[in-house]
């Protein structure tokens, strides 16, 4: 089935027919009126290519690295929750897809496969762990220790979730995990009714919203990031930075990387689409830490625009879920292959043969407002 899909949109359309309403609405929805959800994708169209021609592009090298780990191309799998609603093996399928193509995978804290299961089933995958800071710091530290023991190479700390953004569809559906699934990293603490920790089920909200309200620390501050650095030597990437000011604060706290992200447009509606936020973050950081991007990537041209504007790599979320829903590991792998191949074609048509060249040639990608200002 995956082999019949030739672009990410094909996977999205097919996945919508295969997923039940509870899962589909959870995966696809954004916050409130979903302005930013739409703009995450459409904003890429306002960034225009200015290609070089008459360049030798016979051989193109897409290799890159993230925090010293070599990857075959700068497209990694973002942390997305509850992958087993999409395929039987869920996050294990996603990790296998990444490993088969020599790129990176991030496991969500709210995964339906555990930290240990990824290591057991896909021991060679380049893997990071996405972390929330919990009110009970012991819970957070235990997750960190498990990640360390199981060969995870970095922590991606989500910093834009003091509470869960309002998602209308999840509220309407009273979203809950299917009865056969749980948040595996917290399996001993969850109920059979909704898959979430005991005592958080509500008649008004989704189970996940109640879970976040009960356990996630809304007082999260830079002091907590500094605390994390005292308990682990793993590099820390902060996920959820959208402004130059916040990027400068991150640099002041000596983090290893910034993931420019608006949480898939699922937190605060009306924030900048990530591709529009990226240039100011890259400029502010000025090479003092690595910068990545997620949100709205739907084709290889989007990848090229993000890399040309300074991202070290991009992370894709929903497209991987669509792939899983269509054909498990093979579907997720095909999504990555399509994005990789489209990225390679885009590089050749831009007249560049390496990531370094893509980022160093002046004005290969510019905002259309600059073009219009010349007219």
């Amino acid at each position: 089935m995956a082999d019949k899909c030739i672009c990410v949109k094909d996977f999205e359309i097919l996945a919508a027919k295969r997923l039940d309403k509870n899962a589909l609405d959870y995966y696809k929805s954004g916050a409130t009126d979903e302005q930013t959800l739409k703009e995450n994708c459409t904003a890429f169209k306002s960034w225009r290519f200015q290609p070089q021609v008459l360049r030798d592009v016979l051989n193109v090298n897409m290799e890159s690295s993230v925090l010293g780990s070599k990857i075959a191309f700068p497209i990694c799998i973002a942390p997305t929750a509850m992958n087993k609603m999409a395929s039987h093996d869920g996050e294990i399928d996603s990790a296998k897809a990444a490993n088969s193509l020599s790129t990176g995978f991030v496991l969500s804290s709210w995964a339906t496969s555990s930290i240990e299961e990824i290591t057991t089933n896909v021991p060679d995958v380049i893997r990071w762990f996405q972390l929330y800071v919990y009110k009970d710091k012991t819970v957070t530290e235990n997750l960190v220790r498990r990640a360390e023991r199981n060969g995870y190479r970095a922590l991606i700390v989500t910093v834009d979730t003091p509470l869960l953004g309002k998602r209308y569809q999840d509220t309407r559906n009273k979203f809950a995990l299917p009865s056969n699934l749980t948040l595996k990293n917290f399996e001993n603490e969850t109920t059979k009714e909704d898959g979430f920790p005991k005592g958080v089920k509500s008649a008004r909200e989704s189970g996940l919203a109640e879970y976040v309200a009960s356990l996630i620390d809304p007082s999260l501050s830079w002091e907590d990031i500094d605390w994390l650095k005292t308990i682990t030597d793993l590099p820390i990437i902060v996920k959820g930075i959208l402004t130059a000011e916040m990027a400068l604060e991150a640099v002041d706290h000596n983090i290893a990387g910034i993931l420019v992200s608006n949480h898939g447009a699922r937190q605060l509606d009306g924030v900048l689409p990530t591709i529009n936020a990226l240039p100011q973050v890259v400029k502010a950081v000025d090479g003092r830490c690595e910068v990545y991007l997620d949100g709205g990537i739907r084709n290889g041209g989007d990848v090229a625009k993000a890399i040309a504007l300074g991202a070290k790599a991009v992370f894709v979320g929903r497209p991987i879920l669509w792939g899983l829903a269509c054909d498990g590991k093979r579907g997720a792998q095909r999504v990555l292959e399509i994005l990789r191949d489209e990225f390679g074609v885009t590089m050749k048509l831009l007249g560049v043969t390496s990531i370094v060249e893509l980022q160093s040639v002046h004005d290969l990608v510019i905002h259309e407002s600059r073009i219009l200002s010349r007219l």
Side-chain angles (χ1 to χ4, degrees), residues 27-87:
Y27 287 151
K28 76 174 185 179
S29 62
T32 56
D33 292 331
E34 299 186 338
Q35 174 190 354
T36 302
L37 180 67
K38 300 179 183 73
E39 290 177 349
N40 263 357
C41 294
T42 60
F44 278 94
K45 301 182 188 305
S46 296
W47 290 91
R48 302 292 184 152
F49 292 121
Q50 296 193 125
Q52 305 176 114
V53 296
L54 297 174
R55 299 293 192 269
D56 179 357
V57 292
L58 179 62
N59 297 304
V60 167
N61 184 354
M62 292 183 282
E63 290 180 353
S64 188
S65 67
V66 283
L67 297 179
S69 296
K70 291 183 180 180
I71 51 177
F73 51 93
I75 307 168
C76 301
I77 294 182
T80 54
M82 310 172 208
N83 286 191
K84 285 188 179 180
M85 293 195 300
S87 76

Side-chain angles (χ1 to χ4, degrees), residues 362-375:
H362 184 63
D363 280 352
L364 272 182
V365 174
I366 68 171
H367 198 269
E368 64 181 15
S369 60
R370 288 179 56 192
I371 301 171
L372 295 173
S373 70
R374 300 171 185 166
L375 301 179

Side-chain angles (χ1 to χ4, degrees), residues 1-5 7-19 85-87 93 318-332 334-335:
M1 188 173 294
D3 291 333
K4 296 180 180 179
C5 296
C7 63
V8 168
K9 187 64 177 179
D10 288 348
F11 280 98
E12 182 177 0
I13 292 170
L14 185 57
K17 298 175 182 177
R18 295 177 62 84
L19 290 165
M85 293 195 300
S87 76
D93 281 338
R318 287 186 179 93
I320 298 300
L321 295 171
W322 309 147
L324 290 176
C326 293
D327 207 358
K329 178 257 183 182
R330 177 59 185 157
R334 276 296 296 147
V335 167

Side-chain angles (χ1 to χ4, degrees), residues 351-369:
V352 298
T353 59
S354 69
I355 302 299
V356 170
E357 193 176 358
L358 178 59
Q359 293 189 323
S360 61
V361 175
H362 184 63
D363 280 352
L364 272 182
V365 174
I366 68 171
H367 198 269
E368 64 181 15
S369 60

Side-chain angles (χ1 to χ4, degrees), residues 31-32 160-161 163-168 170 209 266-268:
T32 56
D160 61 1
T161 312
L163 73 166
L164 207 67
K166 194 73 173 178
R167 304 168 194 171
Y168 293 150
D170 287 350
R266 293 159 71 78
Q267 282 300 99
L268 177 62

Side-chain angles (χ1 to χ4, degrees), residues 174-176 194 196 200-202 205-212:
K174 295 183 175 61
F175 171 73
D194 64 2
F196 299 118
V200 302
K201 193 176 175 77
S202 166
E205 286 284 359
S206 74
L208 183 61
E210 292 293 320
Y211 165 71
V212 172

